[in-house]
Amino acid sequence: MASVLRYRKLCITEPMLRSYESSETPKDEKQAIETLKVDKKQEKSQTIEKLKNKKKTWGCVNSCCWFIGCMCTTWWLLLFLYHCCPVSLVGFKGPEPPGVRLKNEGLSALHPVVLVPGMVTVGLELWEGRPCSRGLFRKRLWGGSFTGILNRPLCWLEHLSLDNETGLDPPGIRVRPVPGLVAADYFAPGYFVWAVLIENLATIGYEGKNMYMATYDWRLSFQNTEIRDQSLSRLKANIELMYVTNGNKKVVVVPHSMGVTYFLHFLKWVEAPPPMGGGGGPGWCAKHIKSIMNIGPAFLGIPKAVSAMFSAEAREVAFIRAMDPGFLDSEILGLKTMEHMMRVTRTWDSLISLLPKGGDPIWGDLDSAPEDGHECHFETKSYFQSNSRENNNSRNKDSTGPRIQLKHRTKYGRIISFGKTASEQHSSKLHKVAPMELMQVISNATCGEIWTEYGKINRKNIQKLADNKAYTAETFIHLLRYVAPKTMQRAEAHFSHGIATDLDDPKYAHYKYWSNPLETKLPDAPEMEIYTLYGVGIPTERSYVYKLSPSDKCNSIPFRIDSSAEGGCLRGGIYFVDGDESVPVISAGFMCAKGWRGKTRFNPSGSATYIREYRHKPPGFLEGRGLESGHHVDIMGNAALIEDVLRVAAGASGEDIGGDRIYSDILKMSDRVNIEL
Amino acid sequence: MAIIRRRKQPEDETQQHLDSKPDEDDDKEAKALTKSGKKNKIKNYSCVDNCCWFIGCVCSVWWLLLFLYNAMPASFPQFVTEAISGLFPDPPGVKCLKEGLKVKHPVMFVPGIVTGGLELWEGHECMDGLFRKRLWGGTFGEVYKRPSCWVQHMSLDNKTGMDPPGIRVRPVNGLVAADYFAPGYFVWAVLIANLARVGYEEKNMYMAAYDWRLSFQNTEVRDQTLSRIKSNIELMVATNGGKKAVIIPHSMGVIYFLHFMKWVEAPAPMGGGGGPDWCAKHIKAVMNIGGPFLGVPKAVAGLFSAEAKDVASVRALAPGVLDSDLFQIQTLQHVMRMSRTWDSTMSMIPKGGNTIWGDLGWSPEEGYSPIKKRNGKNDTENESASKECEASYANYGRIISFGRDVAEAPSSEIERIEFRGAVKGNNVANNTCRAVWTEYHDMGFGGIKAVAEYKVYTADDIVEMLEFVAPKMMERGSAHFTYGIADNLDDPKYAHYKYWSNPLETKLPNAPDMEIYSMYGVGIPTERAYVYKLTPAAECYIPFQIDTSAKDKNEYGCLKDGVYTVDGDETVPALSAGFMCAKGWRGKTRFNPSGIKTYVREYEHNPPSNILEGRGTQSGAHVDIMGNFQLIEDVIRVAAGATGEELGGDQVYTDIFEWSEKINLRL
């Protein structure tokens, strides 16, 4: 029967056959077949042979077409229905967003708000590029749908890299941050960063005139954003403008992640005298800024940056590598993903700003760290929780649940150790190589094209580095200086990672100290409030167990995380502590808990500080990324955090919203940190 | 499962059928019979199947093409274009870069009416889910989905001219606000791309986006837009090593920027408090593109009957579509109701009255002959672009006339019955038209009749007539705009902001080094005067409409579809765009006390030669001129530091200087 159908199609598509039947269009199939029968008798066998073949192939294509057609139609139908159904039907009715609730309470826009996005979340667009980037003028290279990577990966990498020598644009390439709220409201379609906060602010009356997104090129060092794009001047001008146009109301600044240290830099820059600074004079911050609400701040750096700099890895990468060894390292397709990643990221000065600051006093030495002790148990527990959802319920009841006793106390201070044993041994048993000895090793390049600076170091020296077994926050900087001399030389002109002994030393007027809270004083603004808002309850990378990578080929990264190392807080070669998945509690909370609390040498005017922690609660199935998330980025959608920001923006002080709110052991940890205040 | 089964079955039968076919013919009949029995069943499937099959084919082909298109090297389209239409000239940015021009002065764009995007910040329930989505500009998807909701959100408050309660619609910020109006329809994008070639980027380019629906002073009151512009110019000048800014306003942006220049130097509560030499310190040149300095007649038609040439010709082609009551559409009424809440439209009512625009028997463009012009200039211009008037009687001064005979009659023969005191009569449509209320429904027949019996309106009369037909709107507007000519510019009343956007009632700032350019396209017939008639049914309609039956017999005549056209850029007549720079401000005049240099740069319209050129690189049309290579080159040169003299001073194709001479304005 369907043969009839197919005859008809043949007639339409096959011109040779059509000539036979042009007289009668086969409305009546029976008749058509008969004509066919009669007409074709002479060349029966031949034609039928042909028909047979044709039919076979057409059958397959037809079925395919038919199938695709069905799919398309169904899809359209569903799409149509989806668009037709009223908005309220789509999805479930979520809880009332905090903005609406606060509006009903009578809150309205008062202080202008400045949003300072963090690393990675700001979009970058192309202004000038090489021929391979044709047609992408003012299109996003970073952020958005990232189609660029898929279409032309090498071209994309080339445009995102900076110049290795200067840390600025390579010649002929201009990639610039997207300005305005669109820069960081959504990182990729559907993946919000600031959008939820913006929407809630808008509900109580904020709009373009009293909300400003201070975008900057997050690849550059902070001072270079001013030199190249005048981003700091722009931020200053906009704060002044909003201050004036909103009836002399001070601004509330909401920086996130790396934006926190960027804004610290701004605070110093704006009051410094002109050639290096913004020339705002000593009272500028006191006059213009009401409070700074740091979200997920990386005040003292993050250990994640260590592994990123050292081997371009993070937990996720190490995990993939453990699951499917060889996938990332395969040279078959000439991929060398990790090496490309490292080459590009090492040109980004800003990454250096995230290396742990404060050295051993903050991050611990070979044998002790602020997080020592019971920290691990809590940490281990929550690690299990977030990884096995079915254990969720146990969370509430088992505050005294089963504890894992460890033979050895975890030595978090050893940020990098080679081998699991090295990470657990007592310091006296460790084999040590003096840093000076490391420096003396002379490199001789053996590879033709050098991608990463590892290419310049030969295998023997790498072995020597690994022999040192354990590195603390301080010695790790030495290590980096050795393995990546150019990168560090470039970046250390912009960032410093120490602790000041004498803050009045005139050298601290240099901009490279401005983003390090341990080497600067806060501005003289006694009424300014500093909040630190961060999530807790998610295991966060703190230190790493490394091994030498087996491959000895050119341009490969010689170190990698030893993902086989397990036990206690050690998972996949990484020791975890409490935090928001990116920033450990000590880095986010220490300054507000101790470093700046009261009048200290870092905070001479005694600006008030508040700690607001948000305990992580994994989202339910339909909740998307959750209203109670404590995750580094997802916290921007945390209803409690949004409420706090809105209240402060509408005029509340830190006391009004309830002062400190602490779940973690940040105060105990801070006590253990012994620095002069 | 079902799918597989359904497909399997026919295949088997095909096989059977084929196998049996060569063997016996006699069996065929029996088989055919059974087949026809089953045929009915197939019919049910076959139609759906066929459809599916067809859609599948189309989809696959489409995907294939899409794939090929994406896989195609990026230079391919250009290669094809070049193969067809010869080598493209270098875009002006590349050309200038080769000459060694580099970024120097910071640049600020001031977009015009309509082209700036507007986005929703707060709205009623019907706009759920559109937070920070574009209501105006972009794809206009919402217009189709929820038209009445859209109209409600785009309208402003009838009394205050500000947001209606519960609705906040705000301009989009940044270059994205007006680079493309709709996808693929560029406004500033080409200029931006070319400036980027010589090194411009965000830090030295700024789009002064403002809410173009508000009156100019209200943009400051509500959004502090003027303060924002001031702050950004100051910032750009400071961060670019003290180089003064080059301002590039377009269309209504031109008068918006005039307003800004007065505002910024005025003392604080009403103005920006920049002090008397702010402009001299911060502005190098103002390069006005297609500026309606003295208003546009189009605005009159827009306010009077929500029509323009385009609408009128649609009406002529398909009478009844726009007016049909069948679907409760009443498009024009909705448009009128919405656009009458926009104060800014009133900023474009012709200014300067009869002195500038002509009276009953006289107008500056009178006697303008395109033929003479064509002879004089040889044949650079294209046939289609030159439908200007012959030197027949075109009484351009009569901006609105009721009936063609009136439009052409000598002025002595016109009998006019004063409308000003007329009784408006009862409200004819007190209940029926509430949904689309316009002020016409308050007028009654008496008022409408009175308006029509005045017969002819000149520029002076028009303002009064609008005050008559739309008292509320004009009352709102008159607090923000004026349309006269100042007698004594030193009169303290001119310190009020409502005069700031009228070049005939303000002095230019004291900035002798500043340059003012007037750049506009010419060679396109532009609306200048209208022939009106009464609408047959007056109930819920707009009672007046353009009389599209009035046209010249001659194809090149100036009266077409009830509209008299003159030379211009399709929207702004050359007179309005050029007069101030050609005469009003030239040299030291009372409007330009410090003697700011002015330059008139006209760009002859040349329609794109083929489809591949898109909207053309030599266009003179009001918006398309932003892609005119010559204009872009001029802009880049000035931005890179050139003066008006270095550009070549004036570049004039029309008789703008002659026309200006005819205008008797004390300078």
Side-chain angles (χ1 to χ4, degrees):
Chain A
M1 227 156 295
S3 64
V4 170
L5 216 159
R6 287 199 168 83
Y7 268 130
R8 196 203 280 175
K9 256 165 231 156
L10 269 180
C11 299
I12 294 162
T13 45
E14 176 61 273
M16 191 195 86
L17 285 184
R18 193 195 277 162
S19 63
Y20 285 106
E21 307 181 343
S22 55
S23 48
E24 306 107 312
T25 40
K27 276 268 194 285
D28 185 351
E29 272 83 1
K30 190 179 164 188
Q31 196 191 341
I33 287 162
E34 272 165 7
T35 15
L36 205 69
K37 188 175 69 187
V38 175
D39 279 350
K40 276 185 192 160
K41 254 183 183 165
Q42 298 97 344
E43 3 174 12
K44 196 166 40 179
S45 55
Q46 192 190 351
T47 321
I48 280 161
E49 198 65 20
K50 212 179 255 173
L51 271 176
K52 233 180 211 167
N53 294 340
K54 281 276 152 58
K55 217 159 277 173
K56 273 272 165 64
T57 51
W58 271 99
C60 178
V61 174
N62 276 346
S63 320
C64 275
C65 284
W66 176 85
F67 182 68
I68 292 170
C70 276
M71 296 288 284
C72 282
T73 326
T74 326
W75 176 244
W76 287 335
L77 199 73
L78 288 176
L79 214 67
F80 177 73
L81 285 177
Y82 174 79
H83 280 291
C84 275
C85 70
V87 184
S88 54
L89 256 176
V90 182
F92 70 119
K93 198 82 176 166
E96 202 177 29
V100 176
R101 201 177 67 235
L102 293 175
K103 191 189 178 190
N104 294 339
E105 266 181 43
L107 257 64
S108 65
L110 187 70
H111 296 279
V113 169
V114 175
L115 312 173
V116 188
M119 195 170 188
V120 174
T121 48
V122 183
L124 300 173
E125 59 187 14
L126 183 78
W127 278 84
E128 185 183 340
R130 307 232 189 272
C132 66
S133 68
R134 195 180 187 129
L136 291 178
F137 177 67
R138 286 185 58 223
K139 298 270 185 308
R140 283 199 185 194
L141 288 189
W142 185 269
S145 52
F146 281 99
T147 43
I149 312 182
L150 303 176
N151 288 350
R152 25 198 159 181
L154 284 177
C155 181
W156 184 80
L157 281 175
E158 187 188 357
H159 282 79
L160 275 181
S161 312
L162 294 170
D163 190 287
N164 215 1
E165 304 285 324
T166 60
L168 294 167
D169 290 325
I173 292 179
R174 282 186 290 153
V175 175
R176 295 286 177 269
V178 179
L181 293 176
V182 284
D185 55 350
Y186 288 93
F187 176 57
Y191 188 85
F192 73 83
V193 182
W194 293 92
V196 180
L197 183 59
I198 291 172
E199 190 160 354
N200 280 294
L201 282 168
T203 315
I204 63 165
Y206 281 91
E207 55 192 57
K209 69 175 175 186
N210 43 19
M211 190 157 43
Y212 175 71
M213 176 79 77
T215 60
Y216 57 96
D217 189 336
W218 46 265
R219 301 170 304 158
L220 298 185
S221 75
F222 301 157
Q223 191 69 10
N224 276 343
T225 62
E226 169 66 12
I227 289 167
R228 198 192 70 182
D229 297 337
Q230 282 85 41
S231 300
L232 296 172
S233 303
R234 199 167 294 267
L235 177 55
K236 175 173 175 249
N238 273 290
I239 291 180
E240 285 169 354
L241 173 71
M242 289 202 295
Y243 174 74
V244 172
T245 55
N246 287 285
N248 293 355
K249 293 272 179 312
K250 296 184 198 176
V251 299
V252 171
V253 185
V254 188
H256 173 234
S257 184
M258 194 178 79
V260 169
T261 39
Y262 186 74
F263 196 74
L264 268 186
H265 186 94
F266 173 81
L267 286 180
K268 294 303 286 183
W269 174 87
V270 74
E271 299 200 338
M276 202 190 277
W284 195 94
C285 294
K287 186 182 167 198
H288 291 96
I289 299 177
K290 175 187 187 286
S291 46
I292 307 173
M293 308 197 73
N294 304 296
I295 301 177
F299 279 119
L300 302 176
I302 50 175
K304 230 178 185 174
V306 169
S307 63
M309 280 301 295
F310 196 55
S311 62
E313 288 178 298
R315 192 173 63 181
E316 296 82 4
V317 173
F319 181 69
I320 292 176
R321 194 170 256 163
M323 295 292 293
D324 184 5
F327 172 67
L328 286 170
D329 315 295
S330 72
E331 251 179 308
I332 304 168
L333 301 172
L335 283 176
K336 291 201 178 185
T337 325
M338 300 317 298
E339 282 77 14
H340 277 297
M341 280 273 289
M342 172 168 269
R343 193 165 59 119
V344 172
T345 52
R346 280 214 178 162
T347 65
W348 297 346
D349 284 342
S350 59
L351 203 60
I352 312 282
S353 80
L354 291 174
L355 289 180
K357 290 165 193 163
D360 295 354
I362 302 287
W363 295 94
D365 54 24
L366 287 177
D367 284 324
S368 68
E371 289 103 332
D372 277 349
H374 63 277
E375 200 61 33
C376 181
H377 305 302
F378 168 72
E379 205 288 313
T380 315
K381 199 176 67 195
S382 74
Y383 180 73
F384 279 130
Q385 269 171 11
S386 69
N387 272 276
S388 49
R389 290 274 154 78
E390 59 271 26
N391 284 1
N392 263 349
N393 306 336
S394 69
R395 183 210 180 121
N396 297 325
K397 47 189 173 185
D398 77 341
S399 51
T400 56
R403 296 194 164 188
I404 302 158
Q405 288 297 328
L406 291 172
K407 273 182 282 176
H408 302 283
R409 296 197 329 180
T410 312
K411 295 184 167 55
Y412 288 114
R414 300 172 189 182
I415 286 199
I416 285 185
S417 32
F418 283 91
K420 191 187 169 196
T421 43
S423 75
E424 290 170 351
Q425 268 172 333
H426 192 266
S427 60
S428 56
K429 290 179 195 157
L430 279 174
H431 173 73
K432 275 182 224 158
V433 182
M436 285 313 291
E437 202 176 320
L438 289 174
M439 297 305 171
Q440 284 163 1
V441 187
I442 293 157
S443 58
N444 49 338
T446 46
C447 298
E449 186 199 13
I450 294 163
W451 282 6
T452 65
E453 292 185 73
Y454 279 124
K456 288 188 190 163
I457 307 169
N458 69 21
R459 190 71 185 175
K460 220 196 281 169
N461 298 335
I462 284 168
Q463 186 62 49
K464 233 175 208 167
L465 292 175
D467 283 346
N468 193 26
K469 294 301 177 198
Y471 294 88
T472 63
E474 237 166 67
T475 50
F476 176 71
I477 303 276
H478 296 302
L479 174 65
L480 265 188
R481 278 184 200 140
Y482 172 69
V483 299
K486 272 193 196 157
T487 312
M488 288 305 280
Q489 198 188 358
R490 199 181 66 231
E492 291 208 309
H494 290 282
F495 299 107
S496 158
H497 300 94
I499 299 182
T501 40
D502 175 16
L503 277 168
D504 293 324
D505 191 326
K507 79 169 181 178
Y508 288 115
H510 190 269
Y511 61 78
K512 75 174 184 177
Y513 299 103
W514 288 346
S515 60
N516 182 353
L518 297 172
E519 290 180 302
T520 47
K521 295 181 204 169
L522 284 182
D524 179 25
E527 283 166 25
M528 193 170 84
E529 296 170 322
I530 299 177
Y531 296 80
T532 171
L533 310 103
Y534 54 91
V536 293
I538 309 184
T540 307
E541 297 165 53
R542 175 67 168 80
S543 55
Y544 300 89
V545 176
Y546 265 87
K547 66 176 179 191
L548 286 177
S549 85
S551 116
D552 194 17
K553 295 202 178 82
C554 275
N555 289 329
S556 65
I557 298 167
F559 306 105
R560 60 170 58 168
I561 295 173
D562 182 6
S563 46
S564 64
E566 299 276 339
C569 306
L570 181 65
R571 296 271 149 183
I574 301 169
Y575 285 99
F576 290 97
V577 291
D578 197 6
D580 67 0
E581 197 166 21
S582 289
V583 184
V585 166
I586 185 82
S587 173
F590 174 74
M591 287 318 288
C592 284
K594 189 173 177 195
W596 286 332
R597 185 134 291 191
K599 276 198 189 188
T600 67
R601 65 189 180 113
F602 302 111
N603 181 9
S605 66
S607 305
T609 60
Y610 301 97
I611 299 175
R612 307 281 297 172
E613 291 184 349
Y614 303 89
R615 200 201 282 278
H616 177 69
K617 196 174 156 200
F621 174 61
L622 269 176
E623 276 182 322
R625 289 158 65 199
L627 297 169
E628 289 173 87
S629 177
H631 178 270
H632 190 59
V633 175
D634 295 350
I635 200 174
M636 310 284 279
N638 185 311
L641 178 135
I642 290 174
E643 187 180 329
D644 286 349
V645 172
L646 259 55
R647 282 189 192 282
V648 171
S653 70
E655 296 304 329
D656 295 342
I657 62 170
D660 288 347
R661 161 178 156 157
I662 297 177
Y663 297 106
S664 70
D665 297 326
I666 180 65
L667 294 178
K668 272 186 211 162
M669 283 185 229
S670 306
D671 272 346
R672 278 196 215 116
V673 174
N674 185 20
I675 60 169
E676 186 201 340
L677 290 176
Chain B
M1 228 15 239
I3 293 170
I4 296 166
R5 217 186 311 138
R6 205 192 298 163
R7 269 219 321 275
K8 262 246 165 76
Q9 189 184 359
E11 217 131 309
D12 293 342
E13 266 162 332
T14 316
Q15 215 58 37
Q16 273 177 22
H17 178 53
L18 274 173
D19 293 344
S20 61
K21 210 175 176 185
D23 301 340
E24 303 124 297
D25 294 333
D26 306 53
D27 279 10
K28 272 278 153 74
E29 278 172 24
K31 251 185 192 163
L33 271 176
T34 39
K35 232 163 236 170
S36 63
K38 286 181 190 168
K39 200 168 60 188
N40 294 337
K41 247 188 255 166
I42 270 196
K43 267 271 164 74
N44 297 339
Y45 288 122
S46 69
C47 179
V48 177
D49 278 350
N50 270 342
C51 280
C52 283
W53 175 84
F54 178 71
I55 292 170
C57 277
V58 171
C59 281
S60 317
V61 172
W62 173 248
W63 288 333
L64 192 73
L65 288 177
L66 212 68
F67 174 75
L68 284 179
Y69 175 78
N70 279 328
M72 175 178 73
S75 58
F76 189 69
Q78 203 199 356
F79 175 75
V80 170
T81 322
E82 281 181 359
I84 293 174
S85 58
L87 263 182
F88 262 167
D90 266 345
V94 176
K95 189 178 155 197
C96 291
L97 187 66
K98 280 181 188 156
E99 279 179 33
L101 292 183
K102 272 216 291 286
V103 47
K104 190 169 174 198
H105 296 278
V107 164
M108 191 180 82
F109 310 113
V110 188
I113 197 170
V114 174
T115 48
L118 300 174
E119 58 187 15
L120 182 80
W121 279 83
E122 186 182 341
H124 293 309
E125 269 181 18
C126 62
M127 277 288 178
D128 257 359
L130 291 178
F131 175 68
R132 285 185 55 224
K133 298 270 186 307
R134 283 198 185 196
L135 290 191
W136 187 269
T139 54
F140 283 98
E142 296 317 310
V143 187
Y144 305 111
K145 281 189 198 157
R146 24 201 157 180
S148 62
C149 182
W150 184 82
V151 167
Q152 184 193 4
H153 281 78
M154 286 298 297
S155 305
L156 294 171
D157 190 284
N158 214 2
K159 297 262 160 41
T160 59
M162 307 281 253
D163 290 324
I167 291 178
R168 281 186 292 153
V169 173
R170 294 288 178 269
V172 179
N173 278 317
L175 293 178
V176 283
D179 55 349
Y180 290 93
F181 176 58
Y185 188 85
F186 72 83
V187 182
W188 293 91
V190 178
L191 185 57
I192 291 171
N194 280 294
L195 280 169
R197 295 272 184 153
V198 295
Y200 279 91
E201 53 192 72
E202 289 288 344
K203 68 175 172 184
N204 37 27
M205 255 193 301
Y206 178 70
M207 177 75 75
Y210 57 97
D211 191 335
W212 45 263
R213 301 170 303 160
L214 299 184
S215 75
F216 302 157
Q217 192 69 11
N218 275 346
T219 62
E220 171 66 12
V221 171
R222 197 191 73 181
D223 297 338
Q224 285 86 41
T225 310
L226 296 172
S227 302
R228 199 167 293 267
I229 293 173
K230 175 175 175 245
S231 154
N232 271 289
I233 292 179
E234 283 169 355
L235 172 70
M236 286 202 296
V237 170
T239 55
N240 285 286
K243 305 240 175 26
K244 295 185 208 171
V246 171
I247 316 292
I248 309 173
H250 173 235
S251 185
M252 193 178 80
V254 168
I255 40 182
Y256 186 72
F257 196 74
L258 270 186
H259 186 95
F260 172 80
M261 284 198 287
K262 294 302 287 181
W263 174 87
V264 74
E265 299 201 338
M270 199 191 282
D277 57 350
W278 194 92
C279 291
K281 266 194 211 154
H282 292 92
I283 300 177
K284 175 190 189 288
V286 184
M287 308 192 73
N288 303 298
I289 302 178
F293 283 106
L294 304 175
V296 285
K298 223 178 187 173
V300 173
L303 285 171
F304 192 54
S305 64
E307 288 180 297
K309 196 170 67 178
D310 331 336
V311 173
S313 52
V314 168
R315 189 173 261 161
L317 284 173
V321 169
L322 287 170
D323 315 294
S324 72
D325 231 347
L326 275 180
F327 305 106
Q328 299 279 307
I329 294 177
Q330 296 172 311
T331 322
L332 287 182
Q333 283 86 331
H334 277 295
V335 169
M336 171 172 269
R337 195 168 63 119
M338 179 170 74
S339 60
R340 277 203 178 173
T341 64
W342 298 344
D343 285 343
S344 61
T345 49
M346 281 177 277
S347 73
M348 305 225 275
I349 293 173
K351 291 165 192 162
N354 293 359
T355 320
I356 300 289
W357 295 92
D359 58 20
L360 288 181
W362 169 88
S363 71
E365 291 110 326
E366 94 188 317
Y368 162 64
S369 152
I371 291 173
K372 182 186 91 190
K373 183 179 142 203
R374 205 179 299 159
N375 291 342
K377 270 203 345 73
N378 288 333
D379 49 359
T380 48
E381 84 194 52
N382 193 295
E383 200 67 4
S384 66
S386 58
K387 290 179 198 149
E388 292 97 347
C389 302
E390 286 168 27
S392 61
Y393 328 42
N395 291 310
Y396 291 121
R398 306 172 187 180
I399 291 189
I400 287 182
S401 27
F402 280 89
R404 190 180 175 191
D405 44 338
V406 183
E408 289 173 357
S411 49
S412 54
E413 288 174 17
I414 300 173
E415 283 175 36
R416 301 208 281 184
I417 299 169
E418 195 58 31
F419 68 88
R420 275 152 220 170
V423 183
K424 286 189 176 176
N426 289 328
N427 189 343
V428 280
N430 40 7
N431 292 319
T432 48
C433 303
R434 277 302 156 212
V436 283
W437 184 89
T438 62
E439 285 187 80
Y440 280 125
H441 303 132
D442 280 347
M443 279 180 60
F445 290 121
I448 289 164
K449 203 159 166 249
V451 168
E453 278 177 355
Y454 192 61
K455 299 288 186 203
V456 172
Y457 295 88
T458 61
D460 272 346
D461 301 329
I462 283 215
V463 177
E464 287 173 52
M465 184 266 287
L466 283 175
E467 273 163 12
F468 181 74
V469 299
K472 277 188 195 150
M473 173 188 78
M474 290 302 283
E475 191 193 330
R476 214 178 57 230
S478 64
H480 288 285
F481 302 106
T482 59
Y483 313 102
I485 299 179
D487 287 329
N488 174 16
L489 278 168
D490 293 325
D491 192 324
K493 78 168 181 179
Y494 288 116
H496 191 269
Y497 61 76
K498 73 177 177 178
Y499 299 103
W500 288 346
S501 60
N502 182 354
L504 298 172
E505 290 182 302
T506 46
K507 295 182 204 170
L508 285 182
N510 179 26
D513 293 336
M514 201 169 95
E515 292 170 325
I516 296 183
Y517 296 79
S518 183
M519 325 199 332
Y520 52 92
V522 294
I524 309 183
T526 307
E527 295 164 59
R528 175 69 167 80
Y530 300 90
V531 177
Y532 264 87
K533 65 176 180 194
L534 283 176
T535 320
E539 269 220 7
C540 292
Y541 297 112
I542 298 165
F544 311 104
Q545 66 184 41
I546 294 174
D547 182 5
T548 46
S549 62
K551 45 181 95 169
D552 276 351
K553 284 172 203 135
N554 184 346
E555 208 200 314
Y556 296 108
C558 57
L559 179 61
K560 250 194 132 189
D561 294 342
V563 181
Y564 284 100
T565 55
V566 291
D567 203 0
D569 68 357
E570 198 166 17
T571 300
V572 183
L575 182 72
S576 174
F579 172 75
M580 287 317 288
C581 283
K583 190 174 175 200
W585 286 333
R586 179 114 326 168
K588 276 198 186 187
T589 68
R590 65 191 180 110
F591 301 111
N592 180 10
S594 63
I596 296 170
K597 289 199 188 63
T598 61
Y599 301 95
V600 179
R601 306 277 299 170
E602 293 184 346
Y603 301 89
E604 183 84 57
H605 177 68
N606 240 330
S609 53
N610 58 41
I611 270 186
L612 286 172
E613 270 184 45
R615 288 156 66 201
T617 55
Q618 291 170 290
S619 177
H622 191 59
V623 174
D624 294 353
I625 199 175
M626 310 283 280
N628 186 313
F629 277 9
Q630 216 188 338
L631 178 136
I632 292 174
E633 195 183 321
D634 285 351
V635 169
I636 292 178
R637 282 183 195 283
V638 172
T643 64
E645 294 304 329
E646 285 162 21
L647 281 190
D650 293 340
Q651 166 181 306
V652 176
Y653 298 102
T654 62
D655 301 324
I656 180 72
F657 285 112
E658 274 171 50
W659 296 338
S660 305
E661 270 324 299
K662 282 190 209 154
I663 292 174
N664 181 20
L665 177 72
R666 187 165 59 83
L667 292 177

